[in-house]
Amino acid sequence: MYLPRITTRAGILCRPPRRIPTGLRGFRTSPIVSLNAVTGDDIKHFKSFLPDSAIISTLAPGKASNDDLVPFNHDWLEKYIGKSKCVLKPRSTEEVSKIMKHCYERRIAIVPQGGNTGLVGGGVPTDNEVILNLGNMNNVRSFDPVSGVLVADAGCILENLTNYLEPYNHIMPLDLGAKGSCHIGGNVATNAGGLRLLRYGSLRGTVLGLEVVLPNGEILGELKTLRKDNTGYDIKQLFIGSEGTLGVITGVAILTPPAPAATSALLLSLPSFSKVKEVFRTTKTNLGEILSAFEYFDRNAYDLVRRHTGKDALDEGEVGDSEAFVLIETSGGKREHDEAKLEEFLEQIYAKEDFITSGVQSQSQDDFLSLWSFRELIPEAAGKMGKVYKYDISVPVSEFKAVTDTVRKHLKALNLIRAPGEEKGGGAKVIEVIGYGHFGDGNLHLNVIAEAFTSQIEAALEPFVYEVVESLHGSISAEHGIGLMKTHALQYSKGEVSRRYMKRIKQVFDERGIMNPGKVFEID
Amino acid sequence: MYLPRITTRAGILCRPPRRIPTGLRGFRTSPIVSLNAVTGDDIKHFKSFLPDSAIISTLAPGKASNDDLVPFNHDWLEKYIGKSKCVLKPRSTEEVSKIMKHCYERRIAIVPQGGNTGLVGGGVPTDNEVILNLGNMNNVRSFDPVSGVLVADAGCILENLTNYLEPYNHIMPLDLGAKGSCHIGGNVATNAGGLRLLRYGSLRGTVLGLEVVLPNGEILGELKTLRKDNTGYDIKQLFIGSEGTLGVITGVAILTPPAPAATSALLLSLPSFSKVKEVFRTTKTNLGEILSAFEYFDRNAYDLVRRHTGKDALDEGEVGDSEAFVLIETSGGKREHDEAKLEEFLEQIYAKEDFITSGVQSQSQDDFLSLWSFRELIPEAAGKMGKVYKYDISVPVSEFKAVTDTVRKHLKALNLIRAPGEEKGGGAKVIEVIGYGHFGDGNLHLNVIAEAFTSQIEAALEPFVYEVVESLHGSISAEHGIGLMKTHALQYSKGEVSRRYMKRIKQVFDERGIMNPGKVFEID
């Protein structure tokens, strides 16, 4: 997996010019001359305050092999592959500070890494940066059951925090597919969205305090547990969603809501996309404060999961040629009240002609999980069918179908869509274009499933998709971030003035450019 | 009201050294030599693109008198009094941009001003800055009833926006006592909290986009209406709560929730403060998603309002010597469900011995308003009794009473509390110390009511109060901001590293220091 090093100039991050693989823009093809590569002497220095178990390095006096570094150098999709020779796993904020101070003085680049579950290559090196993995900082620091404020090390795994809160009858305000691996620090650094945003809002509201180690080793210790604090600029907001480019988040104070007493799920098929908006409005009116998710998927996504699982979630005859599907979740304090509200809601929408073709409501926790799994299996089903170009975009909800249709039409016009029954020919084609996502948040996941990743398909998709998003005043990244994957497309969502000031802010915190170079911004 | 100018040096902001009035720290006693005063030529320039009605100035060729400028130079408490000679009231973002460009080039200081309802002197000049009043920018730009996103000019009055939303059955996510005058732009610039924060979260979550004119006239046009947008640093967060020190907010995109179908209020008296926490926990469990406010006031505050209004809110005999009071509000989608939940909640807390001494529940909208007015009249009642030192702090909820008691004890030890029946003597004394506020948000309003503002009382209170807050890891300003009033106390809430980086961020946006000088930071 490793390209041979052709030239080596000691002390300089240096690698041979490398073909930019399809879909992997942003990789450096020339060294950043202002930065230094980590050396054996640096490792010796790290050993002076870190135990052997906290250093994984192929450089003397370490004994690790390249294979030992694979879980840190490769992102989980195996899409982005770095060449770091050194992973550090500090156990405390002070150790992080010492590492940063040294790397700052030596001008060594750093990639902060959480659970390595990102989708845009933000948490793996683009070259031979030092990987600062937070996995050993995994203690809960405090929890106050009255205020619901949890203070935790950045390396705590999201699911572990959820489990920790269970006896207190509280839940984390966010939930993601990656919860078993992702770190809370990584969640904050990428401003993760997920499944509970509609109900509990974004991390910008629920994160109350952060402890951050700055590139020069200084500790920005604003681990406040206050819901309200109007004392000047809220600097922590800059680190939320900064993807490791401004500093290393080491501690998080977060507001956790009480666990709901009852949850229900409802899967509905709708004759046409236009009805989705109307059903959404009705849920908002009738379900109000108990509405906790409103997920959408189109017919192609629904059929994909049916084929993948061999199961129908709804009655095939009733579904007929329905073109849209929604999964509605409620979370409330009293089951009988929630069910009464749901019943009234269903009566209303069934009373309207041509609103709903079919529906099923969970009657048990198993039902609940099974309905959710139908929604959650979409990415897996897409991955089984082919190679998936994933676009995570925000657009007005009324445009969800139009965006998917426009992309499909565009690919068809370029003769890049495989016709029904068509065999795989010489050039790989697109098998399917599907749209699904968090309708309630305006977040569409557009997946283009192809026989293979090809430069022809990619050229057809980009910048086309980004231009469509820009024309709708949308966002090219709703929740996945920019990372390495979308640095070239930032201008479709952020204007020139914003980008310029973003760079100036980067300069304020990281004037030596050692923090996660090549992420969020392209290397100048 | 105006101090005479002793020396005048053309082109230089210049005023005589002035005694700093009690409680008015931060006023400039010497000119800022890097800034220029506005002149008749500047007014001529403004006239080239602004109509006469948009310029109120005592400088030729304007015809305004000093009295015309009083509503802009004086804060509403008459505590902070500026000496601006020029108020500009632009009608569009482009006009704001032209004004800023000119002031940037000429190095003229600017105070952005909304409804002038602030409590810390952030919206009035400290000297002769130009006042940029947003009152003429008061149009709703758009509202999307599906997503609930409202886009409005910064100068829209909060209550007008609430009224605008009413036919759509939506409400603003914030509500304040000053709603009839305050501007949404000012709300955002000060990160206003208010009465709905417990339910709808802070502006950091609900403000989706901002349009800001930067000091150099550039327009940062990030008026996004998206719930999710992870494309680099969220620069708009810096302007939320920046109190006009970084730029001028001209447009706001904000997420508005659907109006609740039913609201209820409940006023309870509790035998001791320790029960408040337990009642709060019970409300969170039993009322869950319908709990929308949990307000606290101590016995002194309760008695103050009783005396002020001549009315009892609760049965005097039942209340007895209860020491704490809470006002609980619910907002839900279905009245019968909410009432069932409230009933169950009341059964639970009444079942526990010594939990509640007395209680009353609203049975009508009039009841609801009357119970709320009892809470809302506290500041007015305090103001009628004497001069009020107001501290707006965040501390752990379990310390609300301890903080109030500590301050009272401290004043008593210094013989600064008036004894019962004691006549006003030579030196003014403190009449009462009361504590009330948003318990659910951890926000305590500590009011020290004195016979008069005196340097002796002030010296007894500050830094004492701030030191108490600091020792509890609290905030010296929960929702009012820093403004001019608390610049000297910033260090009690923000560490050295934070303050240094805050100043560097100020430097990024306002390197000429023309934006609201002396606010948030003391003038170096």
Side-chain angles (χ1 to χ4, degrees), chain A residues 192-210:
Chain A
L195 304 167
R196 291 181 184 154
L197 192 132
L198 184 66
R199 175 65 174 273
Y200 301 111
S202 83
L203 292 174
R204 302 212 170 271
T206 52
V207 171
L208 303 182
L210 289 181

Side-chain angles (χ1 to χ4, degrees), chain A residues 281 284-285 288-289, chain B residues 147-148 168-171 199-200 256-261:
Chain A
R281 287 187 71 163
K284 290 219 291 185
T285 310
E289 67 274 10
Chain B
S147 65
Y168 299 101
N169 212 21
H170 271 245
I171 57 169
R199 175 63 174 273
Y200 301 112
T256 70

Side-chain angles (χ1 to χ4, degrees), chain A residues 218 222 229 475 498 500, chain B residues 218 222 229 475 494 498 500:
Chain A
E218 283 187 308
E222 296 296 338
D229 179 22
S475 169
S498 292
R500 182 153 34 85
Chain B
E218 284 188 307
E222 296 297 338
D229 178 23
S475 170
K494 285 273 159 75
S498 292
R500 183 153 34 86

Side-chain angles (χ1 to χ4, degrees), chain B residues 498-514:
Chain B
S498 292
R499 296 200 310 279
R500 183 153 34 86
Y501 279 91
M502 274 169 58
K503 284 197 175 179
R504 292 185 65 182
I505 283 164
K506 165 86 173 170
Q507 193 66 21
V508 163
F509 290 94
D510 182 30
E511 82 278 12
R512 296 194 171 183
I514 63 171

